[in-house]
């Protein structure tokens, strides 16, 4: 299925390859008078090989956008593509396979299995899928994330930052087309958070991966290449080459609108 040409659209600052896109993406919860429109006809493109952050006030639709782009949730209207595949046309089984083979995930809670060591956690999704990891790639990921001397440790023997680095390596292991990270630093102290952000940055810069990260933290967003700002279910702005100060200033304008 072909991907339609984009006219004016958020996320397309440098016109590189597209890892994912949405057209008219609408998601409503509930029916009748209790309907909540979480996403309101969103058009967006996620550029390949780039680090995109998604910010916005609480309830603006950040998680819903990520879930719909990742095929974790159904949409009410509109279309979503991962690469050239329209995922809004897939059935549950096809979606499960697509998520498993082509998408990597990181969450606020690291979601590691306590009985497995770091290496076993990293390769678990591929083991379940019956796929052999590319050893050279795996070594590169482990080296880049500085996990070489922690591979035999179980999660309880690792710091929070190290656990999230293992989760990052797990997301990278299958060399996915896209990594979605939902508040990946939310459970970490600021130093460990910085470490994990630096790892995600390296995944983009050194390993050529594509990362989309939902965050509340202007400092975290500043590590990205492009920040998309959501408000009331719409993308209302974008900021290439963000700094923490500029992101904070932009976020303050949302507060101003809300209070007025
Ligand atoms: P954010 O991640 O920016 O905080 P969400 O995407 O979680 O925002 O939510 C967007 C809107 O959709 C909010 O108004 C939220 O209450 C609503 N919402 C999210 N998930 C559900 C759900 N499962 N059922 C009903 N409403 C939901």
């Amino acid at each position: 299925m072909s991907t339609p040409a984009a006219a004016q659209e958020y996320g397309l600052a440098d016109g590189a390859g597209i890892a994912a896109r949405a057209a008219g993406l609408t998601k409503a919860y509930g029916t009748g008078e209790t309907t909540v429109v979480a996403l309101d006809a969103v058009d967006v493109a996620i550029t390949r090989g780039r680090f995109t952050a998604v910010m916005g006030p609480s309830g603006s639709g950040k998680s819903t956008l990520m879930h719909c782009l990742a095929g974790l949730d159904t949409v009410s209207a509109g279309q979503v593509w991962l690469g050239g595949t329209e995922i809004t046309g897939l059935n549950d089984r096809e979606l499960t396979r697509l998520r498993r083979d082509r998408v990597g995930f990181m969450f606020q809670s690291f979601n590691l299995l306590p009985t497995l060591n770091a290496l076993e956690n990293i390769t678990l999704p591929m083991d379940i899928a019956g796929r052999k990891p590319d050893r050279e790639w795996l070594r590169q990921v482990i080296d880049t994330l500085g996990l070489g001397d922690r591979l035999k440790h179980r999660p309880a023997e690792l710091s929070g930052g190290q656990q999230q680095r293992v989760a990052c390596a797990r997301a990278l292991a299958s060399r996915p087309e896209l990594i979605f990270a939902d508040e990946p630093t939310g459970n970490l102290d600021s130093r460990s958070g910085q470490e994990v952000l630096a790892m995600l940055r390296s995944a983009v810069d050194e390993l050529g991966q594509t990362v989309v990260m939902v965050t509340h933290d202007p400092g975290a967003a500043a590590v990205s290449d492009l920040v998309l700002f959501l408000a009331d279910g719409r993308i209302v702005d974008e900021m290439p080459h963000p700094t923490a100060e500029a992101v904070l200033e932009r976020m303050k304008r949302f507060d101003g609108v809300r209070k007025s």
Side-chain angles (χ1 to χ4, degrees):
M1 215 157 298
S2 68
T3 305
Q8 276 284 316
E9 192 175 52
Y10 285 109
L12 276 176
D14 59 12
I18 303 300
R21 59 187 272 121
L25 169 55
T26 300
K27 176 71 182 180
Y29 293 104
T31 51
E33 284 186 6
T34 58
T35 302
V36 175
V37 179
L39 294 175
D40 188 3
V42 169
D43 296 325
V44 70
I46 304 296
T47 305
R48 192 165 285 148
R50 206 161 58 162
F51 193 160
T52 303
V54 179
M55 290 202 86
S58 183
S60 57
K62 302 183 293 295
S63 298
T64 306
L65 176 63
M66 198 185 97
H67 290 167
C68 290
L69 286 177
L72 284 167
D73 207 347
T74 57
V75 308
S76 305
Q79 291 166 290
V80 177
W81 292 263
L82 179 72
T85 310
E86 187 192 339
I87 70 173
T88 25
L90 300 182
N91 64 32
D92 279 352
R93 231 178 99 223
E94 292 167 327
L95 265 184
T96 304
R97 241 175 81 189
L98 174 127
R99 284 195 302 262
R100 193 187 68 194
D101 296 342
R102 297 174 58 183
V103 184
F105 292 96
M106 286 176 73
F107 298 97
Q108 186 169 342
S109 52
F110 322 123
N111 292 354
L112 301 177
L113 284 189
T115 53
L116 301 183
N117 69 30
L119 181 61
E120 291 163 343
N121 266 291
I122 291 169
T123 58
L124 182 67
M126 301 196 73
D127 293 341
I128 291 172
R131 283 170 62 195
K132 287 242 177 304
D134 174 337
R135 294 178 75 91
E136 178 54 28
W137 170 253
L138 197 59
R139 198 188 54 73
Q140 216 180 327
V141 166
I142 288 166
D143 285 353
T144 306
L145 301 196
L147 288 168
D149 56 353
R150 295 283 185 279
L151 294 176
K152 292 278 160 61
H153 291 57
R154 294 205 172 142
E157 298 159 347
L158 298 170
S159 70
Q162 288 166 342
Q163 289 184 57
Q164 192 61 304
R165 273 152 58 188
V166 171
C168 185
R170 178 182 57 189
L172 286 163
S174 64
R175 210 168 194 157
E177 287 174 44
L178 194 49
I179 291 180
F180 287 102
D182 196 353
E183 298 277 4
T185 57
N187 273 346
L188 299 174
D189 60 62
S190 67
R191 191 164 149 256
S192 306
Q194 285 303 323
E195 239 174 64
V196 165
L197 291 166
M199 298 299 148
L200 284 171
R201 190 67 253 177
S202 309
V204 174
D205 293 342
E206 291 168 33
L207 305 175
Q209 292 285 289
T210 307
V211 174
V212 178
M213 173 179 71
V214 169
T215 183
H216 275 105
D217 175 6
V223 177
S224 73
D225 298 306
L226 178 79
V227 184
L228 300 174
F229 292 96
L230 270 174
D232 297 328
R234 292 171 181 219
I235 297 180
V236 292
D237 205 355
E238 66 180 4
M239 184 186 292
H241 315 298
T243 62
E245 294 73 25
V247 172
L248 190 62
E249 280 306 309
R250 184 64 189 85
M251 290 300 289
K252 278 186 192 157
R253 278 161 54 195
F254 290 120
D255 291 341
V257 170
R258 288 185 141 199
K259 279 171 198 146
S260 60

